[in-house]
Amino acid sequence: MGLRRTSWVQLYALCRRAPLSTAPAAREQPAAGPEAEPVCGPAETARPPVPAVDFGNTQEAYRSRRSWELARSLLVLSLCASPALLARHEQLLHLARKLLGQRLFNTLMKMTFYGQFVAGEDQESIRPLIQRNKAFGVGSILDYGVEEDLTPEEAERTEMESCSSALERDGRGVSKREKQFQAHRAFGDLRDGVTRARTYFCASEAKCDSHMETFLRCIEASGGASEDGFSAIKLTALGRPQFLLQFSDVLTKWRRFFHHVAAEQGKAGLAAVDTKLEVAALQESVVKMGIASRAEIEDWFTAETLGESGTLDLLDWCSLIDSRTELSRHLVVPNMQTGRLEPLLSQFTEEEERQMTRMLQRMGVLAKKASQAGVRLMVDAEQTYFQPAISRLTLETQRRFNVERPLVFNTFQCYLRDAYDNVTLDVELARREGWCFGAKLVRGAYMAQERARALEVGYEDPINPTYEATSAVYHRCLDYVLEELKHNARAAVMVASHNEGTVRFTLRRMEELGLHPADRQVYFGQLLGMCDQISFPLGQAGFPVYKYVPYGPVMEVLPYLSRRALENSGVMKGAQRERQLLWQELKRRLCTGSLFHQPA
């Protein structure tokens, strides 16, 4: 069947089906019966008291670990704290491999860094660790941690080619995207400056299909290893970056135009979810800008489409980019540099259309497989110049699959200045449309790279100025979502943090809001090999907690291990406390004659 040409209007229509009414849509009620879930808060039944969680009790925190595993953790985390070793870690690994040979090198890695941060080489070898963690109350988020072993030059060339259209590569066209959403050679290697996230280079449709097959195998492994697991995916692995850049550029311009009009109406500085445009004033602005005549816009903003409020919020505004509206063909935005109006939407080439179609198909295949396997799908956040498109595509998948429960979780990076707006808008959209909100909150993985790129390319730094500011945004976003969970038992959040203060804040707010761990609305997440003193006390107290569990062959996960070492040295300030607790537990076992402790 031939593919018809698709406009940005129709693309956005695939990813934005929000009703134009500002009134919240009626929520879908589950069928009555003994199995029915409540839709308005936790079940009002007698609950056992929530056990206190003690993050300083090393005996309980490390009950699941043998003494030699504690010693390994202490060694690896101590090595990660040495700036001199980290500065030369790649050269040292290369030298060790050359001196020891491949077999002995693999053994050394499994005894140290690989054994600390990676579960095993394949689906079978990871099963014992997953089952042991589960026995102590800790679940798994499986992630096939293999990355391509490209040189910086190869990575740069591959990324530049995949971020440009055929016309741009041939020199016959110039990108009209804003500079934030254009490819820049100095930042072609997406791995540079990234400490936490694995990186994909999607150079072709065949490569994207290969990545999808990898994710499918990971979903199968997660379903086979546990009954309530997660599986992580990255959307840059499922489509060419050029498509994500273009779509992100369109979404950002349209959202910025909304705030520009809001400022003209004297409503600058409000939270996005609270900002509402007066429709009458907006109509006057549309006429003055020459976008359309007064007669043409009579049917754009009516009681039928917008309700009786006479106002338009950001969700209504975004839904105007829709092939169902007459407005779509008129959409323009002001160029802030030239002052001229420019068309917002452009036509896909046939190749770009195929890329879009295939990417949406791959996401649907993965979500359907996850639903069948009883696994929840966690879409990782990525760089800011990809993220608007990633979030919109994730929302489309959530609309389709988060009907009865939150199957697909979007990720919000709270080191971004607009994180709170993004979280609150998605919560409000889920309310209106009646699907189940699911989110993972993280601080973020691309800070150094994002700041350097913004400075070099010349656009506003999207990152909060300090770690303290990021923590404040994290807690603000989390508090808003927890308030939503109090009134909506079909929503869920994962608190993905190694920060003990953030975890304590969450536990306190859960108690104040009456959110019981048995409701399984609030999940916690940490990386394998890090912060066991947080994960296992939570799990043993009955809180749903998960380890982010990478797996794959030794040599193919070395890039992941390199970043894990770097993260422990710089980002993870809590590693020093973790080393102190490990040493404290080893001394306790030595003094009490329990050095040969066996987990039970």
Side-chain angles (χ1 to χ4, degrees), residues 106-126:
N106 286 357
T107 301
L108 174 65
M109 293 303 296
K110 288 180 178 180
M111 292 173 61
T112 54
F113 291 93
Y114 180 94
Q116 178 72 12
F117 299 121
V118 183
E121 297 200 60
D122 52 38
Q123 297 179 17
E124 288 302 315
S125 63
I126 67 176

Side-chain angles (χ1 to χ4, degrees), residues 8-22 247-259 272-273 275 277 282 301 305-306 311-325 327-328 331 333 344-345 388 391-392 395 399 421-422 425-426 429 432-433:
W8 279 112
V9 176
Q10 292 162 313
L11 167 63
Y12 200 90
L14 285 170
C15 303
R16 287 293 301 118
R17 293 296 184 189
L20 293 180
S21 172
T22 57
F247 197 17
S248 293
D249 184 55
V250 167
L251 295 170
T252 301
K253 285 178 178 176
W254 190 235
R255 184 164 170 171
R256 186 184 299 143
F257 188 22
F258 173 86
H259 289 294
V273 75
T275 304
L277 304 181
L282 176 60
F301 311 105
T305 57
L306 295 176
T311 61
L312 185 81
D313 66 15
L314 185 53
L315 295 177
D316 299 321
W317 178 263
C318 290
S319 68
L320 295 175
I321 307 183
D322 192 318
S323 58
R324 296 172 298 175
T325 68
L327 174 61
S328 59
L331 291 181
V333 291
L344 175 67
L345 307 174
S391 292
R392 297 258 61 98
L395 278 175
R399 285 191 182 96
D421 283 345
N422 294 333
L425 286 168
D426 277 16
L429 188 62
R432 293 186 188 185
E433 298 184 347

Side-chain angles (χ1 to χ4, degrees), residues 239-296:
R240 283 175 59 85
Q242 179 214 352
F243 161 70
L244 296 174
L245 288 171
Q246 287 182 313
F247 197 17
S248 293
D249 184 55
V250 167
L251 295 170
T252 301
K253 285 178 178 176
W254 190 235
R255 184 164 170 171
R256 186 184 299 143
F257 188 22
F258 173 86
H259 289 294
H260 173 74
V261 175
E264 288 185 341
Q265 295 189 11
K267 299 180 180 180
L270 296 176
V273 75
D274 297 324
T275 304
K276 293 178 172 57
L277 304 181
E278 298 296 331
V279 172
L282 176 60
Q283 289 174 321
E284 289 299 322
S285 296
V286 169
V287 173
K288 287 180 181 179
M289 286 188 289
I291 295 175
S293 68
R294 192 176 303 276
E296 287 179 308

Side-chain angles (χ1 to χ4, degrees), residues 94-271:
H94 179 75
L95 178 62
R97 183 182 174 190
K98 185 175 180 180
L99 293 176
L100 297 175
Q102 189 64 55
R103 180 174 296 180
L104 284 177
F105 177 78
N106 286 357
T107 301
L108 174 65
M109 293 303 296
K110 288 180 178 180
M111 292 173 61
T112 54
F113 291 93
Y114 180 94
Q116 178 72 12
F117 299 121
V118 183
E121 297 200 60
D122 52 38
Q123 297 179 17
E124 288 302 315
S125 63
I126 67 176
R127 197 179 298 271
L129 183 142
I130 290 174
Q131 291 177 343
R132 175 153 58 112
N133 284 353
K134 185 64 177 176
F136 288 88
V138 178
S140 298
I141 306 170
L142 292 194
D143 179 22
Y144 192 61
V146 170
E147 296 183 11
E148 296 177 76
D149 187 17
L150 301 179
T151 66
E153 293 76 17
E154 290 171 333
E156 178 187 299
R157 184 177 65 254
T158 300
E159 186 66 11
M160 290 299 294
E161 290 176 353
S162 61
C163 284
S164 305
S165 68
L167 290 176
E168 292 168 3
R169 291 194 299 273
D170 295 343
R172 293 180 287 128
V174 178
S175 173
K176 295 182 180 180
R177 300 190 299 270
E178 293 191 1
K179 52 189 174 183
Q180 180 180 356
F181 301 103
Q182 295 181 23
H184 293 273
R185 189 167 297 279
F187 300 93
D189 187 352
L190 298 180
R191 303 166 300 184
D192 189 30
V194 178
T195 58
R196 300 194 190 188
R198 70 200 187 289
T199 302
Y200 288 94
F201 295 91
C202 200
S204 66
E205 292 299 314
K207 179 67 72 173
C208 294
D209 287 336
S210 175
H211 292 156
M212 183 186 71
E213 293 297 328
T214 298
F215 290 146
L216 286 171
R217 289 193 296 271
C218 191
I219 291 170
E220 289 178 357
S222 184
S226 63
E227 296 178 356
D228 59 348
F230 286 85
S231 189
I233 66 170
K234 289 178 82 78
L235 293 200
T236 50
L238 300 177
R240 283 175 59 85
Q242 179 214 352
F243 161 70
L244 296 174
L245 288 171
Q246 287 182 313
F247 197 17
S248 293
D249 184 55
V250 167
L251 295 170
T252 301
K253 285 178 178 176
W254 190 235
R255 184 164 170 171
R256 186 184 299 143
F257 188 22
F258 173 86
H259 289 294
H260 173 74
V261 175
E264 288 185 341
Q265 295 189 11
K267 299 180 180 180
L270 296 176

Side-chain angles (χ1 to χ4, degrees), residues 321-347:
I321 307 183
D322 192 318
S323 58
R324 296 172 298 175
T325 68
E326 287 297 320
L327 174 61
S328 59
R329 63 188 176 89
H330 294 280
L331 291 181
V332 293
V333 291
N335 185 312
M336 300 306 175
Q337 280 71 44
T338 66
R340 296 179 179 178
L341 294 173
E342 297 179 349
L344 175 67
L345 307 174
S346 61
Q347 291 284 328

